[in-house]
Amino acid sequence: VDSYINAVNKKIEVLQLQHNTGTNKQSHNHLNNLTDKAVYANNYFNFGEIKVVGFDLDYTLLSYSTELQKLIYTHARDSLIETYGFPRELLSCEFDSTFAVRGLS
């Protein structure tokens, strides 16, 4: 893993140097093709180290169906109880799609 990280860091250093010195004018042409209709990913992110994942629930990136909102809520609630020791009484708290939904819509 360390050799992979070192190789990535070296590539970043080379690209930064090329950008700063203007020796690779073509390296940023792909930025002209970006669109808001696509999803872009960070390929170097190690999800194996992540313990908790959040969701953008303020609707600035996308809209969620009621079914997905309920699934996210239920899974998060159950995970807080089972994994992090939150009180089991929270199981009686059901998802309410009309409660405190705000956004830019």
Side-chain angles (χ1 to χ4, degrees):
V1 172
D2 288 337
S3 62
Y4 177 74
I5 292 171
N6 289 336
V8 170
N9 285 335
K10 183 65 177 167
K11 181 66 174 173
I12 291 170
E13 289 174 14
V14 169
L15 291 172
Q16 287 174 333
L17 179 63
Q18 290 174 341
H19 174 71
N20 292 337
T21 61
T23 58
N24 191 1
K25 297 278 186 199
Q26 302 300 317
S27 66
H28 293 84
N29 282 346
H30 66 281
L31 296 177
N32 295 330
N33 298 326
L34 297 179
T35 174
D36 63 351
K37 304 295 183 215
V39 175
Y40 300 95
N42 179 346
N43 295 331
Y44 303 110
F45 198 77
N46 183 357
F47 279 99
E49 301 294 321
I50 303 301
K51 293 181 181 176
V52 177
V53 175
F55 291 87
D56 170 50
L57 294 178
D58 64 357
Y59 298 93
T60 55
L61 296 178
L62 55 101
S63 295
Y64 294 90
S65 68
T66 302
E67 293 81 14
L68 181 58
Q69 290 177 25
K70 183 175 181 178
L71 177 68
I72 293 168
Y73 175 89
T74 303
H75 183 72
R77 181 199 62 199
D78 295 351
S79 181
L80 289 172
I81 294 167
E82 299 301 326
T83 306
Y84 297 100
F86 277 60
R88 296 197 67 78
E89 290 80 15
L90 291 175
L91 288 171
S92 65
C93 297
E94 294 295 326
F95 175 72
D96 177 359
S97 65
T98 65
F99 179 75
V101 175
R102 297 188 323 184
L104 301 177
S105 55

